[in-house]
Amino acid sequence: MYTTIPPTCIAAIVGLGAHHGLFIHGEWHIQAPLILVSHLAGFSYVLLTIETGWQIISGYIVALFSSILIYRLFFHRLKHFPGPFLASATKIWHVCKSRDSRNHFSCKRCRRNTGIFEITVFHPDVFMAIDGPSSKCIKAEWYDLLHPNTGLVTTREKELHRERRRRWNRGFTPKALVQYKSKILAPIRQLDDCIRANIAAGQVSEVSDLTFWLTFDRMGEFVLGKSFDMLKNQRWHDIILLLQKAMSLLGPLSPTPWVVQIAFKLMPRVGVLSDWFTMVGWCENQIPDEMSSESILAHYLKHENPATDSHEALTGDSISAIVAGSEPTASALVGLFYELAKAPAQADKIRDEILQKGADIHDSNSLVRSCPHLEAAIFEALRLYPSIPSAGNRKTSSSEGITIAGIYIPPETTVVAPRFVIGRREDSFENADEFIPERWTTRPEMVRNRAAFAPFGTGSKSCIGRALAMNDLMLVTAHIVYHYQFQFPQGETGDSVFKDWSDNFTSTLGRLRLV
Ligand code: HEM
């Protein structure tokens, strides 16, 4: 006698098999669009051809998701780590928490883990553990964001990253830097013109806009060989507006790279996503035009290597370099001018230092040599307003975990190191929430643990533009502080800079207006 197994049971077995045989192993975010489409197609076929199709589909879905849930809640290798219950069940919890692009604030409130496969570490040793010379960690799934376009920032594969970084380094030799460093002086003059015009008209200076225009113009020139001319035209460039709109997706969606892949691949013409692709198309079109310019990209093309320099790779590099270079410098400037407006004595101290030492405000080497307080004020702004406040996730290798402060983190685990929380730890910095540049000069005892300060990252994946960024920050700050005294407009406190700070991988601080 034969007994037939009901189709619903077979579907449930297939669901369990899909989880244990397939999805439990490795990474699936890149294939997420394909998985979704093939499941929808399969479900449609079953519904159309089998009378009890919906039962079969339910059997499959219930078994698959129950298996995933039970595994995550009771058997996962990270189940011993503390964290909100729902966070260990689904990443959608994290998306809900960061829906207003405030992941950095959530990390501070939560102070615990935010997801399955993921450990958030608040200990200052984390930076060295994930990016130090002996680390085997790679960049986490998030970095596949631009797939198939990959820039230096988003290259996850270690060897490929090393190769691309070597090529980028050629554009950052001391000789090349001398040339790029002085190119900030023209945008600074344009910034100055804007401020003077505002003063003459009795108008408030929109510092947030001005600093973003300055740094994007600067990066346009640096990466593509031509400025976006926003300071000159005193208005946002259409492409940068599209880029900013598209970046706003990263705040809520960063915790789920698979959702990003589905959205990018299956809905490229919908809403903000279409803005993103317009911007990508624009960047693609800029590349062949710029071969002869002095941009970093042209430098790259001159040494083209077909193995690594596909058109996608160059597009990825141009987008990620524009974003990586502009937004962080702009937000550091907004944070710094906000603090200097709150504490004018600090601005006076910088001005006195420049005057007393006779430093040349057009030469960053002269400023570095003579103005430690200026440099300290910039460090303090970078500590309080980190340009990458919660992102920069790494993943432990498939064979080795890492140990941080005596706690072992297993292989294949995403490690999150939120700079916003770590840089404001009271056990690392005395009066940690206060702007005290002296902690970097005359009061070193106020820095209790230097490891908690890593605004540019550490090791082989750290910021390649650090020298350029410090050059620009020194020159812009010295110029403004030397020539102007500034304050908040009547009736304003500037508090929105902190309150409206959003975390879209890079920081966008709230609006700053000064007179
Ligand atoms: C205040 C200004 C800046 C800050 C605080 C900053 C900070 C950082 C940090 C923390 C990283 C590591 C990101 C990660 O782990 O994913 C990074 C990477 C990077 N930054 Fe910057 N950055 C600044 C300015 C710049 C500038 C001006 C450039 C352009 C020349 C630049 C280009 C890059 C690139 C290309 C990477 C990727 C490096 C790699 O993956 O090897 N950054 N930056």
Side-chain angles (χ1 to χ4, degrees), residues 326-340:
S326 312
E327 305 228 353
T329 315
S331 60
L333 284 170
V334 173
L336 178 57
F337 285 113
Y338 167 55
E339 291 295 341
L340 293 178

Side-chain angles (χ1 to χ4, degrees), residues 16-125:
L16 289 176
H19 178 217
H20 289 277
L22 219 59
F23 298 133
I24 211 168
H25 307 289
E27 297 180 354
W28 291 96
H29 57 291
I30 298 279
Q31 292 88 345
L34 183 67
I35 294 170
L36 181 67
V37 169
S38 52
H39 272 75
L40 290 178
F43 291 163
S44 309
Y45 179 78
V46 170
L47 279 176
L48 290 174
T49 53
I50 304 175
E51 205 180 319
T52 55
W54 65 270
Q55 288 172 352
I56 295 174
I57 294 169
S58 311
Y60 173 80
I61 291 179
V62 169
L64 174 65
F65 284 100
S66 312
S67 174
I68 291 176
L69 199 64
I70 291 169
Y71 167 71
R72 288 179 176 180
L73 293 179
F74 304 109
F75 300 102
H76 196 271
R77 60 188 181 282
L78 301 182
K79 71 179 164 46
H80 308 293
F81 288 89
F85 179 74
L86 281 177
S88 51
T90 169
K91 261 295 192 187
I92 303 294
W93 176 88
H94 195 177
V95 171
C96 295
K97 289 281 162 199
S98 47
R99 65 187 178 282
D100 55 357
S101 298
R102 309 291 185 92
N103 192 41
H104 56 315
F105 290 150
S106 315
C107 285
K108 179 143 192 164
R109 273 195 303 274
C110 205
R111 275 282 189 151
R112 305 175 85 182
N113 295 321
T114 43
I116 337 126
F117 316 118
E118 181 177 298
I119 299 286
T120 307
V121 181
F122 301 99
H123 196 281
D125 288 352

Side-chain angles (χ1 to χ4, degrees), residues 291-365:
M291 297 276 279
S292 58
S293 79
E294 284 303 322
S295 70
I296 183 105
L297 211 58
H299 175 89
Y300 226 89
L301 288 164
K302 277 180 212 153
H303 301 92
E304 202 163 359
N305 171 359
T308 50
D309 296 347
S310 60
H311 202 71
E312 280 93 0
L314 292 168
T315 306
D317 258 329
S318 52
I319 298 169
S320 49
I322 289 171
V323 174
S326 312
E327 305 228 353
T329 315
S331 60
L333 284 170
V334 173
L336 178 57
F337 285 113
Y338 167 55
E339 291 295 341
L340 293 178
K342 279 202 299 183
Q346 290 289 351
D348 294 343
K349 204 166 167 180
I350 296 174
R351 191 177 308 109
D352 290 348
E353 187 179 59
I354 296 171
L355 283 167
Q356 277 164 19
K357 305 271 178 66
D360 178 357
I361 58 165
H362 304 105
D363 175 3
S364 60
N365 291 335

Side-chain angles (χ1 to χ4, degrees), residues 181-397:
K181 275 181 168 181
S182 58
K183 287 196 171 171
I184 185 72
L185 296 177
I188 290 178
R189 275 195 295 278
Q190 289 175 328
L191 173 70
D192 196 69
D193 291 343
C194 294
I195 297 172
R196 274 176 207 282
N198 288 337
I199 293 172
Q203 278 175 3
V204 170
S205 282
E206 297 286 346
V207 177
S208 309
D209 287 353
L210 292 174
T211 50
F212 272 83
W213 292 350
L214 173 94
T215 56
F216 272 107
D217 281 358
R218 161 71 155 153
M219 277 297 123
E221 178 96 38
F222 178 71
V223 178
L224 300 171
K226 69 176 172 207
S227 166
F228 292 102
D229 279 340
M230 293 196 281
L231 280 173
K232 187 170 141 211
N233 300 330
Q234 300 213 23
R235 62 178 200 89
W236 287 87
H237 189 291
D238 293 344
I239 287 300
I240 301 302
L241 280 178
L242 293 186
L243 173 71
Q244 297 241 295
K245 264 168 78 184
M247 290 284 290
S248 67
L249 274 183
L250 297 184
L253 293 188
S254 281
T256 46
W258 56 275
V259 174
V260 176
Q261 295 299 329
I262 289 175
F264 275 23
K265 302 275 160 43
L266 301 184
M267 297 176 258
R269 293 286 146 223
V270 177
V272 180
L273 294 167
S274 111
D275 296 340
W276 173 266
F277 284 102
T278 309
M279 185 273 300
V280 171
W282 183 87
C283 284
E284 263 169 1
N285 288 335
Q286 303 306 303
I287 293 169
D289 298 335
E290 306 302 328
M291 297 276 279
S292 58
S293 79
E294 284 303 322
S295 70
I296 183 105
L297 211 58
H299 175 89
Y300 226 89
L301 288 164
K302 277 180 212 153
H303 301 92
E304 202 163 359
N305 171 359
T308 50
D309 296 347
S310 60
H311 202 71
E312 280 93 0
L314 292 168
T315 306
D317 258 329
S318 52
I319 298 169
S320 49
I322 289 171
V323 174
S326 312
E327 305 228 353
T329 315
S331 60
L333 284 170
V334 173
L336 178 57
F337 285 113
Y338 167 55
E339 291 295 341
L340 293 178
K342 279 202 299 183
Q346 290 289 351
D348 294 343
K349 204 166 167 180
I350 296 174
R351 191 177 308 109
D352 290 348
E353 187 179 59
I354 296 171
L355 283 167
Q356 277 164 19
K357 305 271 178 66
D360 178 357
I361 58 165
H362 304 105
D363 175 3
S364 60
N365 291 335
S366 160
L367 292 169
V368 170
R369 271 195 312 273
S370 321
C371 302
H373 194 72
L374 166 64
E375 191 175 48
I378 293 170
F379 280 177
E380 197 61 348
L382 289 170
R383 180 182 72 80
L384 288 172
Y385 304 96
S387 307
I388 302 186
S390 68
N393 300 356
R394 302 290 184 253
K395 193 170 175 182
T396 52
S397 81

Side-chain angles (χ1 to χ4, degrees), residues 453-465:
F453 181 63
F456 294 100
T458 307
S460 61
K461 301 178 209 85
S462 67
C463 181
I464 201 165

